[in-house]
């Protein structure tokens, strides 16, 4: 099972679900673990009988809410961590404690997801500053414009944090059209990409390629177009 971390204070739950959906269409078994304080997945993902901690299925994706670490998830499913039947575990993380509990230093890829809203970026950098060991991360930046100054600002704020930035940067637009499409998906409890902007779709493709370079190319673009 390959583990992928999505770290930051920015609301990234829907993005992670969309990435998981692409992976499931590719025939992969995917588990999302919402480890966040707000537990957004508890409210936007339908569940028949939500409890303090549970796993539910949505759009062929398993979603775990309320677990402190991978071992707790394995215990819930009566398996060991080595026998969990998933190809990918996608982690939604908004605290250094969860990052350490889920050992993101063992992830095949970690993404730092943020906008340049003051709360999002400063709270996100605060999480990075609490890391005990150096973590390699790729920036996923939500911004109205692709700006060198924004990237330099993030580099400045994160000076002293135990983070090693990858050279790649993945940009997503802050567009009302994308927000409307995401809200409409939540209302009908479906994952559909048809009304997302081309830049948002490109960003998802880049993330998939970072997770596993063998999954990039025309086939991914076709799948994104069809969902």
């Amino acid at each position: 099972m390959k583990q992928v971390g999505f770290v930051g204070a920015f609301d990234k739950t829907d993005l992670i679900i969309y990435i998981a959906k692409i992976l499931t269409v590719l025939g992969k078994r995917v588990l999302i673990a919402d480890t966040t304080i707000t537990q957004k997945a508890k409210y936007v993902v339908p569940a028949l009988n939500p409890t303090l901690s549970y796993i539910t299925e949505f759009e062929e994706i398993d979603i775990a809410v309320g677990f402190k670490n991978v071992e707790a998830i394995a215990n819930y499913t009566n398996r060991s961590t080595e026998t969990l039947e998933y190809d990918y575990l996608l982690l939604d993380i908004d605290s250094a404690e969860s990052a350490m509990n889920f050992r993101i230093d063992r992830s095949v890829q970690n993404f730092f997801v943020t906008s340049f809203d003051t709360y999002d970026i400063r709270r996100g950098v605060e999480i990075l500053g609490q890391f005990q060991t150096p973590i390699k991360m790729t920036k996923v930046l939500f911004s109205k414009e692709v700006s060198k100054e924004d990237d330099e600002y993030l580099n400045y704020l994160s000076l002293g944090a135990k983070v090693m930035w990858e050279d790649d940067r993945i940009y997503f637009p802050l567009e009302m059209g994308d927000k409307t499409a995401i809200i409409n998906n939540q209302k009908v409890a479906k994952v559909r990409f048809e009304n997302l902007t081309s830049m948002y779709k490109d960003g998802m493709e880049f993330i998939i390629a970072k997770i596993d370079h063998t999954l990039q190319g025309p086939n991914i673009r076709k799948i994104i177009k069809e969902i």
Side-chain angles (χ1 to χ4, degrees), residues 144-156:
K144 284 190 176 294
E145 298 178 359
V146 176
S147 168
K148 179 182 177 183
E149 288 73 22
D150 282 344
D151 187 46
E152 290 174 346
Y153 180 55
L154 174 52
N155 289 339
Y156 169 74

Side-chain angles (χ1 to χ4, degrees), residues 32-180:
I32 295 173
D34 183 343
T35 78
T36 64
I37 296 168
T38 56
Q39 294 187 346
K40 179 181 174 180
K42 190 173 186 177
Y43 304 98
V44 300
V45 174
L48 290 177
N49 188 28
T51 54
L52 188 62
S53 56
Y54 65 94
I55 297 176
T56 190
E57 190 272 336
F58 174 65
E59 290 271 344
E60 300 181 340
I61 307 158
D62 282 355
I63 299 179
V65 178
F67 295 94
K68 299 295 185 183
N69 49 44
V70 177
E71 289 75 16
I73 293 173
N75 289 338
Y76 180 88
T77 59
N78 295 316
R79 292 184 176 276
S80 68
T81 55
E82 292 77 18
T83 59
L84 281 170
E85 294 183 329
Y86 297 101
D87 298 298
Y88 292 97
L89 169 61
L90 308 186
L91 301 170
D92 190 353
I93 293 171
D94 68 352
S95 71
E97 181 182 4
S98 290
M100 296 304 103
N101 287 345
F102 278 89
R103 296 297 308 272
I104 66 167
D105 55 311
R106 298 178 180 177
S107 297
V108 296
Q109 187 66 228
N110 287 303
F111 299 95
F112 178 68
V113 187
T114 189
S115 74
F116 289 90
D117 171 88
T118 300
Y119 172 80
D120 289 340
I121 194 165
R122 289 188 176 273
R123 171 71 181 116
V125 169
E126 182 179 68
I127 296 167
L128 303 181
Q130 295 171 355
F131 285 174
Q132 300 300 308
T133 57
I135 304 294
K136 186 178 288 188
M137 307 195 81
T138 298
K139 298 170 185 170
V140 176
L141 307 177
F142 280 76
S143 180
K144 284 190 176 294
E145 298 178 359
V146 176
S147 168
K148 179 182 177 183
E149 288 73 22
D150 282 344
D151 187 46
E152 290 174 346
Y153 180 55
L154 174 52
N155 289 339
Y156 169 74
L157 289 179
S158 60
L159 286 174
K162 289 188 169 79
V163 58
M164 300 175 290
W165 294 121
E166 298 266 18
D167 292 334
D168 298 332
R169 290 175 296 277
I170 301 173
Y171 284 93
F172 281 80
L174 276 175
E175 295 286 348
M176 282 306 299
D178 289 321
K179 187 65 176 176
T180 300

